[in-house]
Amino acid sequence: MEATQEIIDRIAYLQAELTKYGMAYYVKDQPLVDDATYDALYRELEELEASYPQYQTEDSPTARVGGIILPGFEKAIHEIPLYSLSDVFTKEELFAFDQRVQKTLGYEPKYVCELKIDGLSISLTYEAGRLVRAATRGDGTVGENITENIKTVQSVPLRLPQEIDLEVRGECYMPKASFLALNQKREEEGLETFANPRNAAAGSLRQLDSKITASRNLSTFLYTLADFGPLQVTTQEEALVHLGELGFRINPEHHVCHSIEEVWSFIEDFHDKRSELPYEIDGIVVKVNEFAAQNSLGFTVKAPRWATAYKFPPEEAVTTIEDIDWTIGRTGVLTPTAVMTPVKVAGTTVARASLHNGDYIELKDIRLYDQVVIYKAGDIIPEVSHVVLDARPKDSVAYVLPTHCPACDSELVHLEEEVALRCINPKCPAQLKEGLAHFVSRQAMNIDGVGPRVIAQLFDRALVNDTADLYKLTKEQLIELDKIKEKSADNILSAIEASKQNSLERLLFGLGIRHVGAKAARLLAEEFETLERFFTVKEEDILAIHSIGQTIADSVVTYFATPEVRELANEFREVGVNTAYLGKKASDLAEVDSYFQGKTVVLTGKLTHYTREEAKAKIESLGGKVTGSVSKKTDLVVAGEDAGSKQTKAQNLGVLIWNEAQMVEELDKSQE
Ligand code: AMP
Ligand code: ZN
């Protein structure tokens, strides 16, 4: 399609603005706008670029979603090799390093201490300010070209503020929170989990499909250049500042020390703070600050003489496996948990650790009464590292995996490509309980007061067999339950009653369709509007929704083809549960109850508090509509400074006119 100049300008404006917001959020950790505003502008850009693809640039923020699938990774030669670091493990070794440095230099230099981020080394090449190549370290001389994947990492600038040539180096890592969420999701899906954030980051960067990398929430800290030539810097400290100015994400926890004693206290300090950081570190890197001094120290064959890495001792403990417990999740996945003699690791007492799946037990050959070494993944989750084979009892036998479901005794299956054992009995009580817990959860039907204890009793007394039965409960039945008094029974009943008015996306999410998270549920509900429609919807209709992929589409189609689901949908209707999408109006605005709800608003004149886009996005997020011209249908005109003909027209038509301050006040009120 041919674009008007106005559209071309708008696209360029949105690209630049969203890039700026992205940098503020992902690089500086200081958002400039709220998520709703960002999302609204992002969607607008996406739509414009879809209509006018000729204006979608390679460094548009929308290019970060990935999508290019490579046949394999190309080699990437490092003309200036990536060095590794010598390491030290004790205070004595650290001080000996300082002695060697001092001997060569003839004085005690200043050192910069940096956190040793536990991720993967990466190298980013910019030409004339544009990212042209990203590579892994490999053996230091030859790595792999991972440009497409790195482009999906939000903190990596695709374009620099200056048109310079640079090769920047640093670490790509997975934050602890992303790691924990990823593993949890994988476990629920019956997939293999990652041992630690480092492996997860490596696995995510080595994906041939960059969409997968994009979904993994990787981040970066950059700390050096292959060659400082282009920059006017003489110390590592200045280099870090300069990299920050160029838009790279640098780690804020670096510190210049005036003596090796000060270095030591920095190390001790972070030894304690380490578990509180949002990412994993495995030590502290100590670098001579002055480049001139670095040059006179030079390199050994592998590593610089002017730097070393102090490695933290691993926080591990040895304990005994007393038992292995199996629990059944909502999707029928069985998860084994090691029950161990309680032991202290990294500050807390640990008595249980997930063993993830049967394959894992077999691979590590974990047996009852074995002694095992445990550690904390992501500094939080206890994990079994390995069995202490020397301590294994003589009469030990391999652990026998269950063949039948501990809850319903039906035979377990081991689906292809999955590591998990599954119970596929749709009536398995353990799965149904988990399913109900999900159904009532906050993001789903949001029914307060129905916790695991209540759910267990409802099933045990056969008061509930599926989610729709919840709506048939009576007060008499609830009062019979242990620990439920009249008042809580009333509360539960009114929460159940209120949930009948939920918009479709909550019900859809609550059904627990595999791979359909809260966000996908919303998109699906928005698109198809009624539950009924899902029984006839075709796979291609689902795939037509932007940002919904094959896995979800397959899963939705399969789910709604099941006869029991038909029955369930009928039951919902019979008990009076709403099965239609109520749109922003009902679901969002039930909570916000905004003035702007359903109003048509025109913005005119110069706004100072918000940009026009921000104001528009905010009004829209509150259920209003913002249009360009004033007519009889206009409910409100907001006139900023120097408002012209639109204001006059509004006056003539008798349309309500506000100044900017009135709008801001109303917006603030709605957002409380
Ligand atoms: P190692 O892998 O133990 O030989 O340690 C060297 C690696 O530490 C480098 O290749 C980098 O990937 C990593 N590293 C993490 N943080 C830093 C940092 N602040 N400065 C230098 N290297 C770092
Ligand atoms: Zn079962």
Side-chain angles (χ1 to χ4, degrees):
M1 242 196 288
E2 201 74 43
T4 62
Q5 189 57 42
E6 199 178 338
I7 288 171
I8 299 171
D9 291 347
R10 182 72 188 158
I11 292 175
Y13 170 81
L14 288 171
Q15 287 171 342
E17 206 67 355
L18 286 165
T19 301
K20 192 172 84 190
Y21 297 159
M23 281 291 137
Y25 185 89
Y26 292 105
V27 179
K28 306 213 165 64
D29 299 322
Q30 284 167 349
L32 292 174
V33 293
D34 58 40
D35 293 356
T37 309
Y38 184 90
D39 289 348
L41 296 179
Y42 187 92
R43 245 194 254 183
E44 184 186 349
L45 177 60
E46 241 179 6
E47 281 164 16
L48 285 174
E49 285 180 344
S51 312
Y52 309 97
Q54 65 272 38
Y55 297 105
Q56 177 174 31
T57 57
E58 265 178 43
D59 49 26
S60 169
T62 57
R64 301 247 189 215
V65 295
I68 294 180
I69 302 179
L70 302 173
F73 291 109
E74 277 172 24
K75 276 187 189 163
I77 314 268
H78 300 297
E79 301 206 349
I80 303 174
L82 277 78
Y83 51 79
S84 69
L85 292 169
S86 65
D87 39 29
V88 295
F89 296 90
T90 61
K91 186 175 176 183
E92 288 67 42
E93 287 173 10
L94 176 75
F95 279 59
F97 160 78
D98 174 57
Q99 285 303 312
R100 287 194 300 277
V101 168
Q102 287 205 38
K103 201 163 160 222
T104 311
L105 294 179
Y107 61 93
E108 171 149 52
K110 285 184 201 158
Y111 291 107
V112 187
C113 286
E114 293 173 22
L115 305 188
K116 189 168 186 297
I117 312 299
D118 204 6
L120 278 92
S121 278
I122 51 162
S123 145
L124 309 174
T125 308
Y126 290 81
E127 279 170 18
R130 282 174 189 274
L131 177 66
V132 293
R133 189 187 84 164
T136 60
R137 172 200 158 85
D139 63 4
T141 319
V142 185
E144 285 175 327
N145 185 326
I146 50 161
T147 313
E148 291 308 324
N149 290 341
I150 281 292
K151 279 183 177 169
T152 70
V153 177
Q154 298 278 3
S155 65
V156 172
L158 302 176
R159 204 162 145 188
L160 303 179
Q162 297 164 33
E163 295 191 352
I164 39 174
D165 293 355
L166 287 179
E167 187 184 336
V168 188
R169 291 171 174 184
E171 206 77 358
C172 182
Y173 70 94
M174 184 177 286
K176 286 177 191 169
S178 312
F179 164 74
L180 297 174
L182 175 64
N183 264 2
Q184 195 186 350
K185 185 160 159 265
R186 290 178 68 88
E187 198 146 296
E188 278 163 15
E189 289 173 0
L191 300 172
E192 218 168 311
T193 51
F194 292 105
N196 52 49
R198 197 195 126 78
N199 288 3
S204 305
L205 273 187
R206 292 201 78 262
Q207 291 288 337
L208 292 170
D209 178 354
S210 58
K211 264 209 167 107
I212 300 180
T213 315
S215 72
R216 295 284 175 83
N217 292 319
L218 297 173
S219 191
T220 53
F221 283 122
L222 282 306
Y223 50 73
T224 195
L225 289 179
D227 173 5
F228 281 96
L231 301 188
Q232 307 293 312
V233 289
T234 59
T235 66
Q236 171 63 11
E237 190 195 12
E238 283 169 18
L240 290 173
V241 172
H242 207 104
L243 285 172
E245 284 165 3
L246 283 169
F248 294 103
R249 189 155 182 267
I250 59 158
N251 190 289
E253 311 286 0
H254 56 85
H255 181 66
V256 180
C257 300
H258 297 258
S259 67
I260 199 72
E261 283 79 17
E262 204 184 331
V263 169
W264 182 247
S265 62
F266 183 91
I267 290 173
E268 284 190 312
D269 193 22
F270 272 95
H271 191 282
D272 298 336
K273 281 195 211 152
R274 184 183 170 192
S275 61
E276 292 156 28
L277 292 168
Y279 41 83
E280 273 202 342
I281 61 173
D282 62 338
I284 301 292
V285 184
V286 183
K287 300 174 182 173
V288 169
N289 192 29
E290 296 278 343
F291 289 165
Q294 289 185 2
N295 288 338
S296 45
L297 286 157
F299 285 78
T300 68
V301 192
K302 284 198 331 223
R305 288 201 185 83
W306 45 263
T308 196
Y310 174 87
K311 294 268 182 82
F312 291 131
E315 302 206 56
E316 293 179 342
V318 176
T319 184
T320 307
I321 305 258
E322 293 178 353
D323 198 2
I324 296 178
D325 249 8
W326 291 81
T327 50
I328 304 141
R330 176 158 64 83
T331 59
V333 171
L334 265 77
T335 309
T337 303
V339 181
M340 304 171 295
T341 315
V343 65
K344 243 189 151 122
V345 200
T348 61
T349 303
V350 171
R352 298 170 71 84
S354 176
L355 297 176
H356 307 294
N357 54 67
D359 285 12
Y360 187 89
I361 296 178
E362 286 184 339
L363 187 77
K364 300 211 164 186
D365 189 19
I366 295 167
R367 306 178 180 187
L368 294 178
Y369 320 118
D370 265 346
Q371 290 202 16
V372 289
V373 174
I374 60 172
Y375 68 99
K376 283 188 184 162
D379 281 338
I380 302 174
I381 307 286
E383 288 278 345
V384 173
S385 161
H386 58 272
V387 174
V388 185
L389 285 177
D390 291 344
R392 178 170 274 173
K394 287 263 164 339
D395 55 355
S396 156
V397 288
Y399 182 77
V400 183
L401 298 178
T403 52
H404 290 76
C405 174
C408 70
D409 209 35
S410 55
E411 202 171 332
L412 299 173
V413 297
H414 202 152
L415 298 179
E416 230 172 306
E417 288 189 18
E418 285 195 349
V419 289
L421 286 168
R422 262 181 203 277
C423 167
I424 51 166
N425 170 12
K427 299 242 142 70
C428 172
Q431 284 177 60
L432 293 176
K433 279 181 202 168
E434 290 300 319
L436 187 61
H438 173 74
F439 185 80
V440 299
S441 66
R442 268 281 137 78
Q443 287 196 74
M445 295 301 270
N446 192 22
I447 302 175
D448 255 358
V450 185
R453 226 197 274 139
V454 172
I455 291 177
Q457 295 188 64
L458 293 176
F459 273 95
D460 293 346
R461 296 176 186 220
L463 293 174
V464 161
N465 293 308
D466 64 30
T467 46
D469 288 344
L470 206 55
Y471 294 91
K472 298 173 190 154
L473 287 174
T474 64
K475 187 163 169 183
E476 292 67 45
Q477 290 171 329
L478 284 173
I479 291 178
E480 291 278 289
L481 303 183
D482 199 25
K483 300 238 167 65
I484 299 283
K485 300 234 165 56
E486 182 154 351
K487 180 136 187 289
S488 34
D490 283 338
N491 289 343
I492 291 175
L493 286 176
S494 59
I496 292 174
E497 190 59 30
S499 75
K500 289 183 182 172
Q501 308 308 325
N502 284 337
S503 179
L504 176 61
E505 66 277 14
R506 286 184 173 272
L507 179 61
L508 210 52
F509 176 57
L511 291 175
I513 306 165
R514 285 188 74 193
H515 308 294
V516 177
K519 191 171 164 215
R522 169 171 281 272
L523 294 171
L524 288 164
E526 245 169 44
E527 181 68 25
F528 301 117
E529 294 183 337
T530 65
L531 191 62
E532 197 50 38
R533 177 80 175 84
F534 284 89
F535 291 98
T536 52
V537 81
K538 300 259 171 334
E539 192 177 289
E540 58 263 33
D541 303 331
I542 302 177
L543 285 171
I545 305 177
H546 190 84
S547 78
I548 288 203
Q550 192 67 50
T551 326
I552 294 180
D554 281 347
S555 177
V556 170
V557 171
T558 313
Y559 182 84
F560 285 96
T562 323
E564 286 88 352
V565 174
R566 230 306 142 216
E567 284 167 32
L568 187 64
N570 290 338
E571 280 185 66
F572 279 131
R573 250 189 313 271
E574 278 161 25
V575 295
V577 171
N578 166 57
T579 55
Y581 177 61
L582 306 176
K584 283 184 175 157
K585 289 176 193 152
S587 56
D588 290 344
L589 299 161
E591 294 128 347
V592 284
D593 185 24
S594 157
Y595 170 85
F596 296 100
Q597 168 55 35
K599 297 246 161 59
T600 302
V601 184
V602 172
L603 303 173
T604 180
K606 201 166 146 272
L607 300 180
T608 50
H609 190 90
Y610 293 120
T611 65
R612 201 174 281 190
E613 280 67 34
E614 285 164 3
K616 177 168 188 267
K618 280 190 194 286
I619 292 170
E620 284 172 354
S621 76
L622 294 168
K625 197 168 130 198
V626 176
T627 60
S629 60
V630 179
S631 73
K632 273 191 290 202
K633 292 209 186 101
T634 310
D635 295 299
L636 170 70
V637 169
V638 177
E641 259 172 69
D642 303 324
S645 62
K646 287 183 191 169
Q647 186 175 3
T648 325
K649 188 163 179 201
Q651 274 160 351
N652 293 340
L653 289 170
V655 173
L656 177 65
I657 302 177
W658 280 3
N659 62 27
E660 184 179 4
Q662 285 170 292
M663 172 189 76
V664 171
E665 192 184 323
E666 195 57 54
L667 283 175
D668 287 350
K669 217 192 288 171
S670 308
Q671 269 156 18
E672 271 155 18

